[in-house]
Amino acid sequence: MTKHYYAHRPYPIVPEDQRDNDWRYQLMELSEDALLEKVNAMPREQLIEWLAWNDVHGVFRDEDSIAEGYEPLSKEHAAICVFVVVMRSREGWDGNMGEIYVKDMSLAVSTEV
């Protein structure tokens, strides 16, 4: 297993003129329905990669979670976290992820902006 230490070596900042072609930024631009479909279809590793990129000081990678005494994120939990991070700042978001109310769940991310 490859160890990642992104808290010490953060992801490089993607230049603004290249963001339209970056999958991480594209994910943030999807409509609510398209985002729901996308995160449910993404592999667990890609969801965790997005979370770690979005918050380099967060505890999302398996080795970081274990080192901090947490269980690694499941695919379902990672998908909910990505969805919440993208949706929480959108005006009018009702706290639902499809048919599931996620705003009051205990998550690895905050549901508030």
Side-chain angles (χ1 to χ4, degrees):
M1 175 182 273
T2 303
K3 296 232 181 238
H4 301 276
Y5 299 101
Y6 290 110
H8 303 290
R9 291 181 299 136
Y11 289 92
I13 296 173
V14 177
E16 202 166 322
D17 64 337
Q18 296 175 15
R19 292 179 183 177
D20 288 344
N21 298 320
D22 188 284
W23 70 273
R24 297 164 295 197
Y25 284 96
Q26 291 171 350
L27 192 67
M28 295 188 299
E29 298 300 322
L30 295 174
S31 69
E32 184 173 350
D33 291 338
L35 178 63
L36 177 61
E37 184 177 327
K38 182 72 172 175
V39 298
N40 285 328
M42 290 171 69
R44 176 183 173 273
E45 294 76 16
Q46 192 175 21
L47 293 163
I48 291 171
E49 177 76 14
W50 189 90
L51 289 164
W53 165 79
N54 184 68
D55 180 0
V56 296
H57 300 292
V59 179
F60 304 109
R61 299 194 176 279
D62 292 354
E63 59 269 21
D64 295 336
S65 296
I66 292 166
E68 293 291 328
Y70 301 113
E71 289 289 319
L73 292 178
S74 66
K75 181 196 182 310
E76 179 184 40
H77 192 137
I80 293 169
C81 287
V82 171
F83 186 85
V84 165
V85 169
V86 173
M87 292 302 299
R88 68 185 175 195
S89 63
R90 292 190 184 177
E91 191 163 328
W93 180 53
D94 61 5
N96 287 308
M97 180 177 175
E99 301 295 319
I100 303 166
Y101 188 72
V102 296
K103 202 164 187 178
D104 289 340
M105 287 182 165
S106 177
L107 301 170
V109 297
S110 172
T111 58
E112 302 299 322
V113 178

